[in-house]
Every structure is written in structure tokens, then in C-alpha cells.
């Protein structure tokens, strides 16, 4: 059975071109040019992935992205110059961000990753740019109470690993990892794994965790 994709793009020609390319890879694609249509369709019959092509929506359209992220996994194709703002998209629930200049193979790979595992995909360009910025985002006080194991789990989440992959790597059960993820979200005061990863990068917490883990 083919994977169902809902695509939102404000250019009809681009929509049709991308739809044709994706359908060559056994993906069932429906493309729409209005956010109202996308929300209505996703509400009625949620697809595996919603692909949002900038500038139909950008990271500034937080309300719309939040609404879509509550309906399905959202993959955003953003302009290359906006890659450094990828973590803003993660904060509202977007699961993956790619440049519109990415290859079709990269896009297909990320779509399949989102469908097959509960992962988060963050562009390298975004990670580098965030690391160069001053840490203007305050760290939630409870973040300092993260245990060593919770730090390890957050680090692996930031690497795009799913719960099952983390459990295998740390040689623990899936239930244990779910418990750790729950604790991480609670201590960082966020609702999703994507938001936890965004906070970790934006506050510089990820660098602190990497140093702690490397000293073990």
C-alpha cells in the first residue's frame, strides 16, 4: 500500500511537478493550494505526512503550522536562506525541515524516515547557525535536574533516533525509553520531542550534554 502524502504549495505548476516526481516513488500524493483545503482534508482523513512548500507557509505562520502538526507529521521545505530558523518550526510541532534545493532522493528519504520511525530531522545548516548565535533562550530551571540517562536520551533524540533505536543503543526496553522521554518533555516544559530538541539547541543545552556524555 502506497504512502499517502498531502502537499501544500501555492504554485499550481510546482505542485503538479512535485506530485509527479513523488508518485514515481510509490507515494500517493494530493496537492492543494490553500491552507483551508489542507486542514479540511487532513482533519477528515489524516495522511502519513503533510509536505508544506515555502512560501505557501513559512516559519512565521506559527498558528497554521501548529494546526497542521496536530493533524499529522509535517515536513517543511524552506528556502535555503531560512534554514537557520528551522528550530522555530520544530517548536510548533514540525517534524522535519529541508531546503527547497534538496534533491528528490533526499526528500523521499526524509518522508520514508518520518513514516517508518518516530524521528525528527534537523538540517545541519540549522544546527551550525544556532551554535553560532548567543544563547538568548532561557533554560527551564528543571532542565538542570535531567539525569545522565535522560541527557543521553535527549542527545539521541537530537540525532534523529526513534524510541526503538534509542532502546537498542542503550540496551533497555522501549517502555523505559518512553518513560525517559516523558520526563525530558516535562522537565523542559515542552509538549513534543521536536520542541525538546529545539530547546536543547537554542539554549546551548545540547553542547553541555555532549560534554557530560563524552566525559563518561
Amino acid at each position: 500500500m502506497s504512502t499517502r502524502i498531502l502537499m501544500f504549495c501555492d504554485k499550481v505548476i510546482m505542485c503538479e511537478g512535485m506530485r509527479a516526481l513523488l508518485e514515481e516513488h510509490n507515494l500517493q500524493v494530493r496537492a492543494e493550494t490553500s491552507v483551508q483545503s489542507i486542514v479540511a482534508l487532513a482533519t477528515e482523513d489524516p495522511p502519513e505526512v503533510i509536505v508544506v512548500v515555502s512560501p505557501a507557509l513559512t516559519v512565521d505562520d506559527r498558528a497554521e503550522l501548529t494546526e497542521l502538526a496536530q493533524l499529522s507529521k509535517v515536513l517543511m521545505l524552506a528556502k535555503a536562506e531560512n534554514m537557520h530558523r528551522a528550530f522555530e518550526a520544530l517548536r510548533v510541532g514540525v517534524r522535519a525541515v529541508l531546503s527547497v534545493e534538496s534533491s528528490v532522493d533526499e526528500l523521499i528519504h526524509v518522508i520514508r524516515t518520518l513514516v517508518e520511525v518516530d524521528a525528527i530531522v534537523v538540517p545541519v545548516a540549522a544546527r551550525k547557525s544556532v551554535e553560532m548565535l548567543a544563547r538568548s533562550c532561557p533554560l527551564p530551571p528543571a532542565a538542570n535536574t535531567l539525569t545522565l540517562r535522560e541527557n543521553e536520551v535527549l542527545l539521541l533524540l537530537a540525532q534523529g533516533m526513534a524510541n526503538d533505536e534509542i532502546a537498542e543503543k542503550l540496551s533497555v526496553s522501549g517502555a523505559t525509553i518512553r518513560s525517559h522521554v516523558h520526563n525530558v518533555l516535562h522537565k523542559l516544559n515542552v509538549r513534543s520531542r521536536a520542541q525538546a530538541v529545539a530547546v536543547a539547541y537554542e539554549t546551548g543545552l545540547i553542547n553541555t550534554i555532549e560534554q557530560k556524555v563524552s566525559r563518561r
Side-chain angles (χ1 to χ4, degrees):
M1 185 175 179
S2 61
T3 299
R4 292 183 305 109
I5 306 295
L6 197 53
M7 181 181 296
F8 177 39
C9 176
D10 61 356
K11 302 290 190 301
V12 176
I13 292 178
M14 181 179 292
C15 268
E16 289 304 308
M18 291 189 65
R19 182 182 62 78
L21 286 171
L22 294 179
E23 288 184 340
E24 291 179 359
H25 295 267
N26 197 35
L27 299 176
Q28 180 184 336
V29 183
R30 176 157 182 176
E32 296 289 337
T33 57
S34 78
V35 69
Q36 293 84 1
S37 297
I38 287 291
V39 170
L41 289 168
T43 300
E44 180 180 354
D45 187 17
E48 278 81 4
V49 177
I50 298 174
V51 177
V52 175
V53 185
S54 181
L57 288 178
T58 70
V59 291
D60 292 317
D61 298 303
R62 292 177 176 82
E64 292 84 352
L65 289 173
T66 299
E67 185 172 17
L68 291 176
Q70 292 171 347
L71 298 172
S72 182
K73 296 176 180 178
V74 175
L75 187 166
M76 171 173 273
L77 291 175
K79 293 182 178 179
E81 59 266 30
N82 289 330
M83 281 291 94
H84 66 287
R85 300 184 65 190
F87 290 102
E88 296 178 46
L90 294 186
R91 273 188 169 272
V92 297
V94 171
R95 302 299 296 274
V97 181
L98 279 181
S99 168
V100 291
E101 298 177 3
S102 300
S103 67
V104 174
D105 287 342
E106 287 177 296
L107 177 58
I108 296 298
H109 173 71
V110 171
I111 288 175
R112 298 207 184 283
T113 297
L114 292 181
V115 171
E116 294 169 6
V117 299
D118 189 21
I120 298 157
V121 181
V122 184
V124 173
R127 300 177 193 178
K128 291 181 178 179
S129 63
V130 168
E131 290 170 358
M132 295 172 62
L133 297 175
R135 307 305 179 195
S136 58
C137 299
L139 188 64
N144 294 320
T145 68
L146 287 171
T147 66
L148 183 57
R149 181 63 90 189
E150 288 165 357
N151 279 327
E152 289 179 312
V153 169
L154 179 53
L155 183 61
L156 296 174
L157 287 177
Q159 293 173 7
M161 286 192 181
N163 284 3
D164 290 346
E165 294 174 313
I166 297 174
E168 182 178 354
K169 183 173 182 64
L170 299 182
S171 300
V172 297
S173 70
T176 297
I177 294 302
R178 286 192 294 274
S179 177
H180 287 317
V181 171
H182 172 79
N183 292 338
V184 168
L185 300 188
H186 176 71
K187 291 179 180 180
L188 295 185
N189 193 29
V190 295
R191 298 186 305 276
S192 70
R193 297 152 55 99
Q195 290 174 336
V197 172
V199 167
Y201 273 102
E202 291 175 341
T203 61
L205 175 61
I206 199 71
N207 293 328
T208 301
I209 292 174
E210 288 175 340
Q211 292 170 6
K212 287 181 179 178
V213 172
S214 66
R215 287 199 296 265
R216 287 189 66 185

